Amino acid sequence: MRFLSSIFLLLFFFNCTTQKNVIESKIENEVVLNARPKLVVGIVVDQMRYDYLTRFYSKYGNDGFKRLINDGFNCKNNHYNYVPTYTGPGHASIFTGTSPKNHGIIANYWYDKFSKETVYCAGDSNVLAIGSDAEAERMSPHRMKTTTFADENRLFTQMRGKTIGISIKDRGAILPAGHSANAAYWFRGRDEGSFITSSYYMNSLPKWVSEFNASNTAESYLREWNTFYNIDTYTESGSDLNAFEGGFKGKETATFPYDLAVLKDTNKGFDILKATPFGNSIVADFAIKAIAGEQLGKDNITDVLTVSFSSPDYVGHNFGVNSKEIEDTYIRLDKDLERLFNALDTEVGVGEYTVFLTADHGAVEVPAYLQSAKIPAGYFNKDEFKKDLNTFLVKEFAASDLIESISNDQIFLDKSRLKQLNLNLKDVQYAIVNEVINYKHIDKVYSSETMQNAAFSTGIEALLQNGYHQKRSGDIILVKDPAVISYSKTGSTHGSGSTFDTHVPLLFYGNGIKKGSTLTKTEITDIAPTISALLGISFPNGATGNVLGFVID
């Protein structure tokens, strides 16, 4: 009897202990499932090559880029998985978790086969600018076909989680914030120097935005731009005076210092700030005001703030990848990031927010500079290309009007004209492919027929296919030789599938993020699914990327 009683008591205590462990396990799992950050901050640096992290590393302080690198997770082998690598597609892909093949933003501007006109990725004639009377500022995300993770967070929180997008460029603010954002703000230069929005979001600017615009912050940056440190210490970039930089109108040489107050009148007024590091500074100023003004991260419902620093792109286009100007821009951006992170610590709380930082594309070294170093590079003459192609079409098909548009390295054929001439689309495509492949600086040529019917998993062909949208892309796709661009002889550009354009930083930091790094290849489309998984929300509805589980704590 005593033996049975002992067995009963043993089973009783075992059962109680087991139930206790199950309850504690459930509580622990519940805590993990619900331990969401109060704020997610998605930072995009426009035209940032990965090697800007390593090349300028010794010039950075401890609380900007290095804070993300040393206390967060560094994906060192992160790439774009499509072409063309432009700003609009880049921002859309980062936040939707898919490529232009699905989200539809195939370029910044593209030829619309239905309206027979060139359209802008964020342009919307059905809305009005708010904060400006400029007709050119009528913008919305209506051309983006899929949701962003910010949209999914809004749906998940029954619209209680806020989303605010900020950038110098309209597309850099609008596309990341998604369709359901509370607001997207961008900088109107010229003679205004203000942050504006559109009637897609609201009918008047909030008080905090109006107060910021009235503070003359933009005007305060119309001052001398000189190097942050002694220029002689800028050993990570080329000489200040060289033949590979553009510069500003009104100044004979592209050399420091630049008196912006004097130069503004010949460089479109406040627009001159865009092509200096002070464009980053005013975005950081505005983002810090937005955190407080919108009360972001003040409760347990996750908010989203997207911040795109556009000025490195303007500086890179003007002065080039190897310039003193680009080095100084990144040194100063590091300081602006430090200010932003300190504000997040104060306003939201240390450990209460999550940040990721990436770029919308990289950039090529100035081809003229590469040529001077005996590295293959060059310039593609579009006018000469059109002339040669037209001569071929007249000879082959007795017609000079078969092409509607050539843009973004794509040829759009006039389907109505082909029908009138009783020409077969596939035959014309095939003839053009076999002709154009012989032209100077053309490396590869593919037809839309190939993009639609073949399946590529590697190489430039896979990138082209991920960037190909059946309703929006052209009939023929061109691939130029590496480091060959259609651009001026000064300054850098981007858009190709070469690694200098596809390889960009990807840093995660903060709530829910491990410390560490990886050389495993990651893709830009992995970001949105990873943040969605961190938040426990639905993935964007077109997402094709993978969750980077190794970055989540």
Side-chain angles (χ1 to χ4, degrees):
M1 196 70 174
R2 288 180 180 175
F3 177 74
L4 291 173
S5 298
S6 297
I7 293 294
F8 175 76
L9 288 171
L10 185 63
L11 290 171
F12 175 77
F13 283 118
F14 176 77
N15 187 50
C16 290
T17 302
T18 301
Q19 287 183 353
K20 181 183 178 184
N21 289 339
V22 169
I23 292 170
E24 288 178 349
S25 177
K26 285 183 178 179
I27 292 172
E28 184 178 340
N29 286 337
E30 186 176 347
V31 169
V32 171
L33 285 172
N34 291 288
R36 300 182 184 92
K38 293 181 177 180
L39 178 64
V40 172
V41 183
I43 299 174
V44 182
V45 183
D46 202 329
Q47 198 186 124
M48 184 175 187
R49 294 160 53 113
Y50 177 81
D51 66 349
Y52 289 165
L53 278 184
T54 54
R55 188 154 58 118
F56 305 141
Y57 187 84
S58 64
K59 294 295 194 296
Y60 296 144
N62 293 322
D63 297 311
F65 286 115
K66 285 183 179 178
R67 181 171 176 177
L68 303 184
I69 294 169
N70 298 327
D71 296 331
F73 200 98
N74 184 3
C75 297
K76 299 179 179 180
N77 190 19
N78 183 61
H79 290 265
Y80 274 86
N81 65 342
Y82 66 83
V83 288
T85 41
Y86 295 140
T87 298
H91 283 77
S93 299
I94 292 164
F95 289 86
T96 64
T98 192
S99 68
K101 178 180 180 179
N102 298 307
H103 62 60
I105 304 298
I106 64 169
N108 295 333
Y109 295 85
W110 65 85
Y111 179 73
D112 188 298
K113 293 182 280 190
F114 302 96
S115 65
K116 308 297 183 184
E117 62 183 355
T118 297
V119 298
Y120 177 56
C121 63
D124 188 350
S125 60
N126 294 316
V127 303
L128 298 173
I130 302 296
S132 172
D133 295 326
E135 284 291 310
E137 303 292 351
R138 300 166 73 172
M139 305 290 172
S140 87
H142 76 108
R143 286 196 168 92
M144 186 167 64
K145 291 179 170 289
T146 60
T147 62
T148 66
F149 77 76
D151 284 321
E152 297 300 333
N153 185 66
R154 291 275 285 159
L155 293 170
F156 183 85
T157 61
Q158 300 301 310
M159 302 296 168
R160 292 192 293 270
K162 282 188 173 183
T163 298
I164 304 294
I166 297 168
S167 180
I168 285 287
K169 294 181 181 178
D170 49 72
R171 57 187 179 271
I174 291 168
L175 299 175
H179 301 276
S180 60
N182 299 83
Y185 300 105
W186 57 95
F187 185 72
R188 171 70 182 173
R190 302 288 175 151
D191 59 347
E192 297 177 48
S194 299
F195 278 91
I196 66 172
T197 187
S198 82
S199 59
Y200 178 87
Y201 305 98
M202 62 191 72
N203 294 319
S204 61
L205 293 175
K207 182 181 178 183
W208 71 266
V209 177
S210 297
E211 289 176 348
F212 182 90
N213 288 336
S215 69
N216 294 322
T217 301
E219 192 165 355
S220 72
Y221 286 113
L222 291 172
R223 58 194 192 217
E224 184 181 81
W225 174 24
N226 209 337
T227 53
F228 189 84
Y229 299 117
N230 188 312
I231 196 169
D232 293 335
T233 68
Y234 283 29
T235 54
E236 297 79 11
S237 48
S239 60
D240 192 29
L241 180 61
N242 59 72
F244 312 118
E245 300 175 12
F248 294 116
K249 293 179 180 178
K251 192 174 190 302
E252 288 187 11
T253 60
T255 54
F256 284 104
Y258 299 94
D259 190 334
L260 304 183
V262 170
L263 294 171
K264 72 177 180 65
D265 291 337
T266 53
N267 292 273
K268 300 179 181 178
F270 285 104
D271 274 0
I272 196 172
L273 293 178
K274 297 178 181 180
T276 76
F278 301 134
N280 294 330
S281 298
I282 197 171
V283 166
D285 293 339
F286 191 76
I288 291 168
K289 289 292 184 183
I291 295 167
E294 296 290 342
Q295 293 289 286
L296 299 178
K298 290 298 185 182
D299 55 31
N300 291 322
I301 301 173
T302 303
D303 298 320
V304 175
L305 173 64
T306 73
V307 183
S308 180
F309 291 102
S310 306
S311 289
D313 186 65
Y314 290 104
V315 176
H317 277 294
N318 191 355
F319 297 97
V321 165
N322 199 44
S323 64
K324 290 281 192 276
E325 287 79 2
I326 205 71
E327 179 169 359
D328 193 66
T329 294
Y330 276 90
I331 289 170
R332 290 176 180 273
L333 174 58
D334 183 62
K335 304 300 180 185
D336 288 324
L337 289 173
E338 179 181 343
R339 288 197 297 120
L340 177 58
F341 298 154
N342 288 340
L344 289 167
D345 288 343
T346 301
E347 294 292 332
V348 183
V350 176
E352 298 287 357
Y353 61 91
T354 303
V355 173
F356 70 81
L357 182 147
T358 188
D360 57 351
H361 52 74
V364 65
E365 291 268 12
V366 178
Y369 168 68
L370 292 177
Q371 289 173 332
S372 73
K374 300 181 180 180
I375 295 173
Y379 295 89
F380 183 76
N381 189 316
K382 290 188 288 187
D383 292 335
E384 190 176 290
F385 172 81
K386 291 177 182 177
K387 180 181 177 181
D388 291 344
L389 180 56
N390 190 59
T391 299
F392 166 76
L393 293 174
V394 171
K395 179 181 177 181
E396 188 75 9
F397 301 107
S400 61
D401 54 354
L402 300 183
I403 295 174
E404 285 188 343
S405 176
I406 301 177
S407 61
N408 300 310
D409 290 332
Q410 297 182 16
I411 299 172
F412 294 80
L413 296 174
D414 187 335
K415 307 299 194 306
S416 298
R417 186 63 177 140
L418 294 181
K419 190 174 181 180
Q420 288 176 358
L421 296 172
N422 199 30
L423 293 173
N424 181 276
L425 175 61
K426 293 181 185 179
D427 292 342
V428 175
Q429 287 182 345
Y430 183 77
I432 292 175
V433 167
N434 284 285
E435 167 68 12
V436 171
I437 193 62
N438 299 306
Y439 291 2
K440 183 180 180 181
H441 292 318
I442 295 294
D443 187 43
K444 296 176 178 66
V445 190
Y446 295 97
S447 68
S448 60
E449 179 74 14
T450 299
M451 289 294 106
Q452 293 176 43
N453 294 295
F456 301 107
S457 58
T458 60
I460 187 65
E461 293 81 8
L463 273 64
L464 290 170
Q465 200 161 51
N466 284 335
Y468 176 82
H469 190 277
Q470 191 173 1
K471 289 189 73 171
R472 294 181 174 178
S473 297
D475 297 285
I476 305 291
I477 301 175
L478 313 173
V479 180
K480 297 191 285 287
D481 288 333
V484 170
I485 61 175
S486 302
Y487 202 66
S488 67
K489 295 293 179 70
T490 58
S492 299
T493 193
H494 49 86
S496 77
S498 297
T499 52
F500 51 71
D501 280 336
T502 67
H503 189 196
V504 297
L506 176 54
L507 304 169
F508 292 92
Y509 167 84
N511 186 301
I513 303 299
K514 289 180 181 177
K515 292 183 182 181
S517 65
T518 184
L519 286 170
T520 300
K521 186 175 183 179
T522 58
E523 294 183 338
I524 211 73
T525 52
D526 297 333
I527 297 172
T530 301
I531 295 298
S532 297
L534 177 69
L535 298 179
I537 63 176
S538 295
F539 290 8
N541 61 16
T544 53
N546 299 309
V547 174
L548 304 178
F550 47 80
V551 312
I552 298 177
D553 190 357

